Coordinates of all heavy atoms in Angstrom, one line a residue:
M20 N -2.1 13.3 7.9 CA -3.5 13.1 8.2 C -3.9 11.7 7.8 O -3.6 11.2 6.7 CB -4.4 14.1 7.4 CG -4.1 15.6 7.8 SD -4.7 16.0 9.4 CE -6.2 16.8 9.1
K21 N -4.8 11.1 8.6 CA -5.3 9.8 8.3 C -6.7 10.0 7.9 O -7.4 10.9 8.2 CB -5.3 8.9 9.6 CG -3.9 8.5 10.1 CD -4.1 7.6 11.3 CE -2.8 7.2 11.9 NZ -2.9 6.4 13.0
T22 N -7.2 8.9 7.2 CA -8.6 8.9 6.7 C -9.4 8.0 7.6 O -9.0 6.9 7.9 CB -8.7 8.5 5.2 OG1 -7.9 9.3 4.4 CG2 -10.1 8.5 4.7
Y23 N -10.6 8.5 7.9 CA -11.6 7.7 8.8 C -13.0 7.7 8.1 O -13.3 8.6 7.3 CB -11.7 8.4 10.1 CG -10.4 8.4 10.9 CD1 -9.5 9.4 10.7 CD2 -10.1 7.4 11.8 CE1 -8.3 9.4 11.4 CE2 -9.0 7.4 12.5 CZ -8.0 8.3 12.3 OH -6.8 8.3 13.0
T24 N -13.7 6.6 8.4 CA -15.0 6.4 7.8 C -16.0 6.3 9.0 O -15.8 5.5 9.9 CB -15.1 5.2 6.9 OG1 -14.1 5.3 5.9 CG2 -16.5 5.1 6.3
L25 N -17.0 7.2 8.9 CA -18.1 7.2 9.9 C -19.4 6.6 9.2 O -19.8 7.1 8.1 CB -18.4 8.6 10.4 CG -19.5 8.7 11.4 CD1 -19.2 8.0 12.7 CD2 -19.7 10.2 11.7
T26 N -19.9 5.5 9.8 CA -21.1 4.9 9.2 C -22.2 4.8 10.2 O -21.9 4.4 11.4 CB -20.8 3.5 8.7 OG1 -19.6 3.5 7.9 CG2 -21.9 2.9 7.8
V27 N -23.5 5.1 9.8 CA -24.6 5.0 10.8 C -25.6 4.1 10.1 O -25.9 4.3 8.9 CB -25.2 6.4 11.0 CG1 -26.4 6.3 12.0 CG2 -24.1 7.4 11.5
F28 N -26.3 3.3 10.9 CA -27.2 2.3 10.4 C -28.6 2.5 11.2 O -28.6 2.8 12.4 CB -26.8 0.9 10.7 CG -25.5 0.6 9.9 CD1 -24.3 0.6 10.6 CD2 -25.5 0.1 8.7 CE1 -23.1 0.3 10.0 CE2 -24.3 -0.2 8.0 CZ -23.1 -0.1 8.6
E29 N -29.7 2.2 10.5 CA -31.0 2.0 11.1 C -31.1 0.6 11.6 O -30.3 -0.2 11.2 CB -32.1 2.3 10.1 CG -33.4 2.6 10.6 CD -33.5 3.8 11.5 OE1 -33.6 4.9 11.0 OE2 -33.5 3.6 12.7
K30 N -32.0 0.3 12.5 CA -32.1 -1.1 13.1 C -32.4 -2.1 12.0 O -32.0 -3.3 12.2 CB -33.2 -1.1 14.2 CG -32.8 -0.3 15.4 CD -33.6 -0.8 16.6 CE -33.3 0.0 17.8 NZ -32.0 -0.3 18.4
N31 N -33.0 -1.7 11.0 CA -33.3 -2.7 9.9 C -32.1 -2.9 8.9 O -32.3 -3.6 7.9 CB -34.5 -2.2 9.1 CG -34.4 -1.0 8.3 OD1 -33.3 -0.4 8.3 ND2 -35.4 -0.5 7.7
G32 N -31.0 -2.3 9.2 CA -29.8 -2.4 8.4 C -29.6 -1.3 7.3 O -28.6 -1.3 6.7
E33 N -30.6 -0.4 7.2 CA -30.5 0.6 6.2 C -29.3 1.6 6.6 O -29.2 2.0 7.8 CB -31.8 1.4 6.1 CG -31.8 2.6 5.2 CD -33.0 3.5 5.4 OE1 -33.9 3.1 6.1 OE2 -33.0 4.5 4.7
K34 N -28.5 1.9 5.7 CA -27.4 2.8 5.9 C -27.8 4.2 5.8 O -28.4 4.7 4.8 CB -26.3 2.6 4.9 CG -24.9 3.1 5.3 CD -23.8 2.9 4.3 CE -23.5 1.5 4.1 NZ -22.4 1.2 3.2
L35 N -27.7 5.0 6.9 CA -28.2 6.3 7.0 C -27.0 7.3 6.6 O -27.3 8.4 6.1 CB -28.7 6.7 8.4 CG -29.9 5.9 8.9 CD1 -30.1 6.2 10.3 CD2 -31.1 6.1 8.0
L36 N -25.8 6.9 6.9 CA -24.6 7.8 6.7 C -23.4 7.0 6.4 O -23.2 6.0 7.1 CB -24.4 8.7 7.9 CG -23.2 9.7 7.8 CD1 -23.6 10.8 6.9 CD2 -22.9 10.2 9.3
D37 N -22.7 7.4 5.4 CA -21.4 6.7 5.1 C -20.4 7.8 4.6 O -20.5 8.2 3.4 CB -21.6 5.7 4.0 CG -20.3 4.7 3.9 OD1 -19.5 4.8 4.7 OD2 -20.3 4.0 2.9
E38 N -19.7 8.4 5.6 CA -18.9 9.6 5.3 C -17.5 9.4 5.7 O -17.2 8.9 6.8 CB -19.6 10.7 6.1 CG -19.0 12.1 5.9 CD -19.7 13.1 6.7 OE1 -20.9 13.1 6.7 OE2 -19.0 14.0 7.4
T39 N -16.6 9.9 4.8 CA -15.1 9.8 5.2 C -14.7 11.2 5.6 O -15.2 12.2 5.1 CB -14.3 9.3 4.0 OG1 -14.5 10.1 2.9 CG2 -14.7 7.8 3.7
F40 N -13.7 11.3 6.4 CA -13.1 12.5 6.8 C -11.6 12.3 7.3 O -11.2 11.1 7.4 CB -13.9 13.2 8.0 CG -13.9 12.4 9.2 CD1 -13.0 12.6 10.2 CD2 -14.9 11.4 9.4 CE1 -13.1 11.9 11.4 CE2 -15.0 10.7 10.6 CZ -14.1 10.9 11.6
E41 N -10.9 13.4 7.4 CA -9.5 13.2 7.8 C -9.3 13.8 9.2 O -10.0 14.8 9.6 CB -8.6 14.0 6.8 CG -8.5 13.3 5.4 CD -7.5 13.9 4.5 OE1 -7.1 15.1 4.8 OE2 -7.1 13.3 3.6
A42 N -8.3 13.2 9.9 CA -8.0 13.7 11.2 C -6.5 13.4 11.5 O -5.9 12.5 10.8 CB -8.8 13.0 12.3
A43 N -5.9 14.1 12.4 CA -4.5 13.9 12.7 C -4.2 12.6 13.4 O -3.1 12.0 13.2 CB -4.0 15.1 13.5
N44 N -5.1 12.2 14.2 CA -4.9 10.9 15.0 C -6.2 10.4 15.4 O -7.3 11.0 15.2 CB -4.0 11.2 16.2 CG -4.6 12.3 17.1 OD1 -5.8 12.3 17.4 ND2 -3.7 13.2 17.5
D45 N -6.2 9.2 16.1 CA -7.5 8.5 16.5 C -8.3 9.3 17.4 O -9.5 9.3 17.4 CB -7.1 7.2 17.1 CG -6.5 6.2 16.1 OD1 -6.5 6.5 14.9 OD2 -6.0 5.1 16.5
E46 N -7.6 10.0 18.4 CA -8.4 10.8 19.4 C -9.2 11.9 18.7 O -10.3 12.2 19.0 CB -7.4 11.3 20.4 CG -7.9 11.2 21.8 CD -6.9 11.6 22.8 OE1 -6.0 10.8 23.1 OE2 -7.0 12.7 23.3
E47 N -8.5 12.6 17.8 CA -9.1 13.7 17.1 C -10.3 13.1 16.2 O -11.4 13.7 16.1 CB -8.2 14.4 16.2 CG -8.8 15.6 15.4 CD -7.9 16.3 14.5 OE1 -6.6 16.1 14.6 OE2 -8.4 17.1 13.7
A48 N -10.1 12.0 15.6 CA -11.1 11.4 14.8 C -12.4 11.0 15.6 O -13.5 11.2 15.2 CB -10.6 10.1 14.1
K49 N -12.1 10.5 16.9 CA -13.3 10.2 17.7 C -14.1 11.5 18.0 O -15.3 11.4 18.0 CB -12.7 9.6 19.0 CG -13.8 9.1 19.9 CD -13.3 8.4 21.2 CE -14.4 8.0 22.1 NZ -13.9 7.2 23.2
K50 N -13.4 12.6 18.3 CA -14.1 13.9 18.6 C -14.9 14.3 17.4 O -16.0 14.7 17.5 CB -13.1 14.9 19.1 CG -12.5 14.6 20.5 CD -11.5 15.7 20.8 CE -10.8 15.3 22.1 NZ -9.7 16.3 22.4
I51 N -14.3 14.3 16.2 CA -14.9 14.7 15.0 C -16.1 13.8 14.7 O -17.2 14.3 14.4 CB -13.9 14.7 13.8 CG1 -12.9 15.8 14.0 CG2 -14.7 14.9 12.5 CD1 -11.7 15.7 13.0
G52 N -15.9 12.5 14.9 CA -17.0 11.6 14.7 C -18.2 11.8 15.6 O -19.4 11.8 15.2
E53 N -17.9 12.0 16.9 CA -19.0 12.3 17.8 C -19.7 13.6 17.5 O -20.9 13.7 17.6 CB -18.4 12.3 19.3 CG -18.0 11.0 19.8 CD -17.3 11.0 21.1 OE1 -16.6 12.1 21.4 OE2 -17.2 10.0 21.8
Q54 N -18.9 14.6 17.1 CA -19.5 15.9 16.7 C -20.5 15.8 15.5 O -21.6 16.3 15.5 CB -18.4 16.9 16.4 CG -18.9 18.3 16.0 CD -17.8 19.2 15.6 OE1 -16.7 18.9 15.7 NE2 -18.2 20.4 15.1
K55 N -20.1 15.0 14.5 CA -20.9 14.8 13.3 C -22.2 14.1 13.7 O -23.2 14.4 13.2 CB -20.1 14.0 12.3 CG -19.0 14.9 11.6 CD -18.3 14.0 10.5 CE -17.2 14.8 9.9 NZ -17.7 15.7 8.9
L56 N -22.1 13.1 14.6 CA -23.2 12.3 15.0 C -24.2 13.2 15.7 O -25.4 13.1 15.5 CB -22.8 11.2 15.9 CG -22.0 10.1 15.3 CD1 -21.4 9.2 16.3 CD2 -23.0 9.2 14.3
R57 N -23.8 14.1 16.6 CA -24.7 15.0 17.3 C -25.3 16.0 16.3 O -26.5 16.3 16.4 CB -23.9 15.8 18.4 CG -23.7 14.9 19.6 CD -23.2 15.8 20.8 NE -22.6 15.0 21.8 CZ -21.3 14.6 21.8 NH1 -20.5 14.9 20.8 NH2 -20.8 13.8 22.7
E58 N -24.5 16.6 15.4 CA -25.1 17.5 14.4 C -26.2 16.9 13.6 O -27.2 17.6 13.3 CB -24.0 18.0 13.5 CG -22.9 18.9 14.1 CD -21.8 19.2 13.2 OE1 -21.7 18.7 12.0 OE2 -20.9 19.9 13.6
K59 N -26.1 15.6 13.3 CA -27.1 15.0 12.4 C -28.1 14.2 13.2 O -29.0 13.6 12.7 CB -26.4 14.1 11.4 CG -25.5 14.8 10.5 CD -24.7 13.9 9.6 CE -23.7 14.5 8.8 NZ -24.1 15.4 7.8
N60 N -28.0 14.3 14.6 CA -28.9 13.7 15.5 C -28.9 12.2 15.3 O -29.9 11.5 15.4 CB -30.3 14.2 15.4 CG -31.1 14.0 16.7 OD1 -30.6 13.9 17.7 ND2 -32.4 13.9 16.5
Y61 N -27.7 11.6 15.1 CA -27.5 10.2 14.9 C -26.8 9.5 16.1 O -26.4 8.3 16.1 CB -26.7 9.9 13.7 CG -27.4 10.0 12.4 CD1 -26.7 10.3 11.2 CD2 -28.8 10.0 12.3 CE1 -27.4 10.5 10.0 CE2 -29.5 10.2 11.1 CZ -28.7 10.4 9.9 OH -29.4 10.6 8.7
H62 N -26.5 10.3 17.2 CA -25.7 9.8 18.3 C -26.3 8.5 19.0 O -25.6 7.8 19.6 CB -25.4 10.9 19.3 CG -26.6 11.5 19.9 ND1 -27.3 12.5 19.2 CD2 -27.1 11.4 21.1 CE1 -28.3 12.9 20.0 NE2 -28.2 12.2 21.1
E63 N -27.6 8.3 18.9 CA -28.3 7.2 19.5 C -28.6 6.0 18.5 O -29.0 5.0 18.9 CB -29.6 7.6 20.2 CG -29.4 8.5 21.4 CD -28.6 7.8 22.5 OE1 -28.8 6.6 22.8 OE2 -27.8 8.5 23.2
K64 N -28.2 6.3 17.2 CA -28.3 5.2 16.3 C -27.1 4.3 16.3 O -26.0 4.6 16.9 CB -28.4 5.8 14.8 CG -29.6 6.7 14.7 CD -30.8 6.0 14.4 CE -31.9 7.0 14.0 NZ -33.2 6.3 13.9
T65 N -27.2 3.1 15.7 CA -26.1 2.2 15.6 C -25.0 2.9 14.7 O -25.4 3.3 13.5 CB -26.5 0.9 15.0 OG1 -27.4 0.3 15.9 CG2 -25.3 -0.1 14.9
H66 N -23.8 3.0 15.2 CA -22.8 3.7 14.3 C -21.4 3.1 14.7 O -21.2 2.4 15.7 CB -22.8 5.2 14.6 CG -22.5 5.6 16.0 ND1 -23.6 5.9 16.8 CD2 -21.4 5.8 16.7 CE1 -23.1 6.2 18.0 NE2 -21.7 6.2 17.9
R67 N -20.5 3.4 13.7 CA -19.1 3.0 13.9 C -18.2 4.0 13.1 O -18.6 4.6 12.1 CB -18.8 1.6 13.4 CG -18.9 1.5 11.9 CD -18.6 0.1 11.4 NE -18.8 0.0 10.0 CZ -19.4 -1.0 9.3 NH1 -19.7 -2.1 10.0 NH2 -19.5 -0.9 8.0
C68 N -17.0 4.2 13.7 CA -16.0 5.0 13.0 C -14.7 4.1 12.9 O -14.3 3.6 14.0 CB -15.8 6.3 13.7 SG -14.5 7.4 12.9
T69 N -14.2 4.0 11.7 CA -13.0 3.1 11.6 C -11.9 3.9 10.8 O -12.2 4.9 10.1 CB -13.4 1.9 10.7 OG1 -13.9 2.3 9.5 CG2 -14.3 1.0 11.5
S70 N -10.7 3.6 11.1 CA -9.6 4.2 10.4 C -9.3 3.4 9.1 O -9.9 2.4 8.9 CB -8.3 4.1 11.3 OG -7.9 2.7 11.4
S71 N -8.5 4.0 8.3 CA -8.2 3.4 7.0 C -7.5 2.0 7.1 O -7.6 1.2 6.2 CB -7.4 4.3 6.1 OG -6.2 4.7 6.8
S72 N -6.9 1.8 8.3 CA -6.2 0.6 8.5 C -7.2 -0.5 9.2 O -6.8 -1.6 9.4 CB -5.0 0.7 9.5 OG -5.4 1.2 10.7
G73 N -8.4 -0.1 9.4 CA -9.5 -1.0 9.9 C -9.7 -1.0 11.4 O -10.5 -1.7 12.0
K74 N -8.9 -0.1 12.1 CA -9.1 0.1 13.5 C -10.4 0.7 13.9 O -10.8 1.7 13.3 CB -8.0 0.9 14.1 CG -7.9 1.0 15.6 CD -6.7 1.8 16.1 CE -6.7 1.9 17.6 NZ -5.6 2.7 18.1
L75 N -11.1 0.1 14.9 CA -12.4 0.6 15.3 C -12.2 1.7 16.3 O -11.5 1.5 17.4 CB -13.2 -0.5 16.0 CG -14.7 -0.2 16.3 CD1 -15.5 0.1 15.1 CD2 -15.3 -1.4 17.0
I76 N -12.6 2.9 16.0 CA -12.4 4.1 16.8 C -13.5 4.4 17.7 O -13.4 4.9 18.8 CB -12.0 5.4 15.9 CG1 -10.9 5.1 14.9 CG2 -11.7 6.6 16.7 CD1 -9.6 4.7 15.5
L77 N -14.7 4.2 17.2 CA -16.0 4.6 17.8 C -17.0 3.6 17.4 O -17.2 3.2 16.3 CB -16.4 6.0 17.3 CG -17.6 6.7 17.9 CD1 -17.3 7.0 19.4 CD2 -17.7 8.1 17.2
F78 N -17.9 3.2 18.4 CA -18.9 2.2 18.1 C -20.0 2.3 19.1 O -19.8 2.6 20.3 CB -18.3 0.7 18.3 CG -19.3 -0.3 18.0 CD1 -19.7 -0.6 16.6 CD2 -19.9 -1.0 19.0 CE1 -20.6 -1.6 16.4 CE2 -20.8 -2.0 18.7 CZ -21.2 -2.3 17.4
H79 N -21.2 2.2 18.6 CA -22.5 2.2 19.4 C -23.5 1.3 18.8 O -23.7 1.4 17.6 CB -23.0 3.6 19.6 CG -24.3 3.7 20.4 ND1 -24.3 3.5 21.7 CD2 -25.6 3.9 20.0 CE1 -25.6 3.6 22.1 NE2 -26.3 3.9 21.1
R80 N -24.1 0.5 19.6 CA -25.1 -0.5 19.0 C -26.5 -0.2 19.7 O -26.6 0.1 20.8 CB -24.7 -1.9 19.2 CG -25.5 -2.9 18.4 CD -24.8 -4.2 18.4 NE -25.6 -5.0 19.2 CZ -25.3 -6.3 19.4 NH1 -24.2 -6.8 18.9 NH2 -26.0 -7.1 20.1

């Protein structure tokens, strides 16, 4: 399992969410990240999901 970090920002730069989770691969991490964003109603906010190696998995501005 790899570790991923999901971060959500407000337009003024305020961090709304900074959460780590584990997934088997990048594709699974993207699905989990999208699900967490929808659950918290953050899918339209600026967000990113990165792997522990720094790879950008998910991004929205």
